[in-house]
């Protein structure tokens, strides 16, 4: 069995044993479901508090689904950063990583296994969340074609994977796990703000993917710059992974 | 035949050289103890030999080993082993076996065999988080030998253990000594004397003394007599200094330590004096200076 696969299975088993496989998808599912459900009951909620319900426009199905996506980008991203901040740093700190790296294991397999573990878990969590949203939106409102659901989901997930990779990179580089989560979320926030403010110059920004994903839902098309942002985000992820491998190796062999 | 040859091995952290120009060899099948005070560079040396740390300069050469990755030929137990506490002992050993490229089926049987050997058979399915310090150390030993390494490197394998745990690990080491070459660091000199064939004493990044333990003891070991007297006359005690057979004299806490030129002659002469002077001898011991004496001398020099 290849070392990568062995380490990947260890990551999967670990996140099962420490219940990350339960509660991360659960948080995303709750985020996803709560959105169409609260929207559906919003008129009643407003009426009971004395506001005329017809003052608030009823959102369309696709708008509800786009709003769910943006929730994964705030609360969801926070959960991801907090659960992955120690993915390399904590093992290095505790010394358990020595037990792996003293065997003939390359830093590349070690890091790629970590990344794959994060990716599978993240995709499963957003996938589940968005399926929940879709299910309740279809029941309570008009139905949305599945093609729009999965394409927008994939585009949005790429943004989450990009931030995950930053967390992984920082985890290879830094000791303080709190700092790792803080900087990851900081990068996400700054990128999002800059992209909005400097709309024309930031066509390459990974944070454009969030807007593109909403566009897919609302209009069926991600917009002309979407492919540029996708290509560049994938390139950024690859570069960050290469950087993580180098950082991990340096961290061990130099100090 | 040499298994490992090290030349000019140096590790600098900033301006400070933790290990400075180490050159030595380990012969196949021997057990070498690496001694030295804290901060001598023992751990740094072992980490470089096991491929965890990159030397600043110098060479590490495995003789007759064509494999690209020296980690395949080395088993390493760190000073403070840390495991994946959510795994069971059995899972952990099978995992490390597979990391060392042992096929799954063989990994399982090898893990089983080693768990039994290190006395963890009954705890095999329990989570490592519930293991005692001694059990963890034995599990650590098992993972280090799981791929039958040519060289077993152990960093302070018994220092953190209670007397019973120490005994268990020492017995295991004696067994493993028959199968592989061992290099271990310790600051417990008694352990080194008990199981090692060769010793190397380090201080401040340098080798101070190195060689076959028995040979070193013969070369450096000096005949020595210790006497405990109940009613010692101070003048007589101080007068021992001037006996022709006394090379070094020490008197502390009522214990007289004499390094002598000739044990036989010294004993004859001393026994006669004991009788003539009517001394109440409480203890009389003849022997050689120990590794501890050698260690203290080497490190202080």
């Amino acid at each position: 069995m290849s070392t990568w696969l062995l380490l990947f299975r260890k990551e999967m088993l670990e996140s099962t044993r420490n219940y990350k496989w339960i509660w991360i998808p659960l948080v995303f599912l709750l985020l996803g479901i709560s959105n169409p459900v609260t929207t559906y009951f919003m008129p009643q909620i407003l009426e009971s508090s004395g506001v005329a319900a017809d003052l608030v426009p009823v959102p369309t199905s696709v708008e509800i689904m786009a709003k769910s996506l943006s929730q994964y980008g705030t609360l969801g991203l926070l959960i991801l950063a907090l659960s992955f901040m120690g993915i390399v740093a904590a093992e290095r700190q505790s010394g358990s990583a020595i037990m792996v790296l003293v065997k003939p294991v390359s830093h590349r397999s070690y890091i790629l296994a970590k990344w794959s573990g994060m990716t599978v878990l993240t995709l499963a969590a957003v996938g589940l969340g968005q399926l929940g949203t879709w299910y309740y939106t279809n029941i309570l409102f008009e139905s949305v074609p599945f093609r729009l659901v999965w394409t927008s989901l994939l585009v949005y997930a790429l943004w989450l994977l990009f931030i995950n990779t930053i967390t992984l990179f920082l985890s290879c580089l830094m000791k303080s796990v709190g700092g790792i989560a803080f900087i990851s979320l900081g990068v996400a926030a700054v990128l999002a703000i800059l992209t909005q403010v400097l709309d024309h110059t930031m066509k390459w920004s990974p944070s454009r993917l969030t807007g593109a994903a909403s566009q897919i839902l609302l209009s069926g098309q991600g917009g002309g710059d979407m492919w540029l942002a996708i290509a560049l985000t994938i390139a950024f992820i690859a570069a960050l992974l290469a950087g993580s491998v180098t950082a991990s190796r340096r961290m061990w062999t130099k100090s | 035949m040499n298994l490992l040859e090290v030349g000019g091995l140096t590790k600098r952290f900033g301006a400070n050289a933790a290990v400075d120009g180490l050159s030595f060899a380990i012969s196949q099948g021997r057990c070498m103890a690496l001694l030295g005070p804290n901060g001598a560079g023992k751990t740094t040396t072992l980490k470089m030999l096991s491929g965890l740390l990159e030397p600043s300069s110098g060479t590490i050469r495995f003789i007759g080993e064509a494999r690209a990755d020296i980690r395949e030929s080395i088993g390493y137990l760190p000073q403070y082993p840390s495991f994946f506490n959510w795994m069971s002992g059995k899972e952990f050993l099978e995992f490390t076996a597979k990391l060392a490229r042992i096929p799954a089926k063989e990994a399982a049987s090898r893990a089983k065999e080693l768990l039994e050997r290190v006395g963890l058979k009954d705890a095999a399915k329990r989570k490592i988080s519930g293991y005692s310090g001694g059990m963890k150390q034995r599990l650590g030993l098992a993972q280090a030998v799981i791929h039958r390494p040519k060289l077993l490197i152990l960093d302070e394998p018994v220092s953190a253990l209670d007397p019973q745990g120490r005994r268990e690990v020492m017995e295991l080491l004696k067994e493993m000594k028959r199968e592989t070459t061992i290099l271990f660091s310790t600051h417990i000199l008694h352990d080194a004397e008990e199981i090692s064939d060769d010793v190397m004493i380090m201080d401040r990044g340098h080798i101070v003394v190195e060689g076959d333990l028995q040979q070193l003891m013969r070369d450096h070991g000096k005949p020595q007599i210790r006497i405990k007297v109940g009613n010692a006359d101070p003048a007589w005690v101080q007068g021992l200094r001037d006996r022709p057979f006394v090379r070094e004299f020490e008197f502390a806490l009522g214990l007289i330590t004499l390094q002598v030129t000739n044990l036989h002659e010294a004993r004859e002469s001393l026994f006669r004096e004991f009788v003539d002077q009517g001394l109440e001898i409480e203890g009389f011991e003849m022997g050689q200076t120990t590794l501890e004496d050698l260690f203290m001398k080497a490190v202080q020099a």
Side-chain angles (χ1 to χ4, degrees), chain A residues 8 12 18 35 76-77 151 193 202 210:
Chain A
F8 173 70
M12 289 290 99
N18 61 25
N35 194 32
L77 212 50
T151 44
I193 293 169
M202 299 282 281
T210 62

Side-chain angles (χ1 to χ4, degrees), chain B residues 50-218:
Chain B
S50 55
L52 279 174
L53 201 60
E54 209 166 81
S56 305
S57 61
T59 55
I60 300 169
R61 210 159 67 86
F62 252 93
I63 313 296
E65 213 34 51
R67 289 185 229 196
D69 197 334
I70 60 165
R71 292 176 297 181
E72 285 183 45
S73 313
I74 284 175
Y76 176 75
L77 175 64
Q79 187 169 3
Y80 307 106
S82 173
F83 304 89
F84 299 111
N85 285 326
W86 50 270
M87 284 189 189
S88 69
K90 178 170 171 280
E91 283 173 329
F92 182 76
L93 279 191
E94 287 179 5
F95 173 66
T96 50
K98 288 178 201 157
L99 281 182
R101 298 181 188 158
I102 298 176
K105 210 169 163 192
E106 199 190 329
S109 67
R110 182 87 180 125
K112 191 171 170 228
E113 173 196 331
L114 276 170
L115 281 165
E116 193 159 347
R117 192 159 157 201
V118 301
L120 290 174
K121 194 181 163 197
D122 296 331
K125 290 194 176 147
R126 270 167 45 200
K127 294 267 176 296
I128 300 175
S129 53
Y131 282 19
S132 71
M135 290 164 86
K136 282 186 183 172
Q137 203 70 6
R138 281 179 280 144
L139 182 64
L141 263 182
Q143 66 79 30
V145 296
I146 195 131
H147 52 306
R148 303 180 202 275
K150 294 253 170 60
L151 175 64
L152 181 57
I153 297 179
L154 312 164
D155 197 355
E156 305 268 1
V158 294
S159 305
L161 299 178
D162 62 19
Q164 196 201 341
R166 249 192 68 208
R167 199 65 261 147
E168 289 165 354
V169 170
M170 289 299 285
E171 292 306 320
L172 278 172
L173 285 186
K174 277 185 192 165
E175 268 180 47
M176 288 170 181
K177 205 180 127 173
R178 282 187 234 123
E179 293 159 27
T180 185
T181 310
I182 299 179
L183 171 64
F184 76 105
S185 72
T186 181
H187 58 250
I188 305 169
L189 299 163
H190 181 73
D191 294 341
E193 274 179 329
E194 191 178 333
I195 63 166
S196 61
D197 308 308
D198 298 311
V199 291
M200 182 161 88
I201 302 180
M202 278 183 77
D203 188 28
R204 279 163 277 174
H206 297 274
I207 297 175
V208 220
V209 177
E210 189 219 342
D212 179 288
L213 179 61
Q214 298 307 323
Q215 187 66 41
L216 279 176
M217 296 312 294
R218 267 198 298 280

Side-chain angles (χ1 to χ4, degrees), chain B residues 34-54:
Chain B
L34 180 56
L35 304 170
N38 291 332
K42 301 191 294 284
T43 296
T44 308
T45 304
L46 296 184
K47 277 192 172 166
M48 285 192 282
L49 294 183
S50 55
L52 279 174
L53 201 60
E54 209 166 81

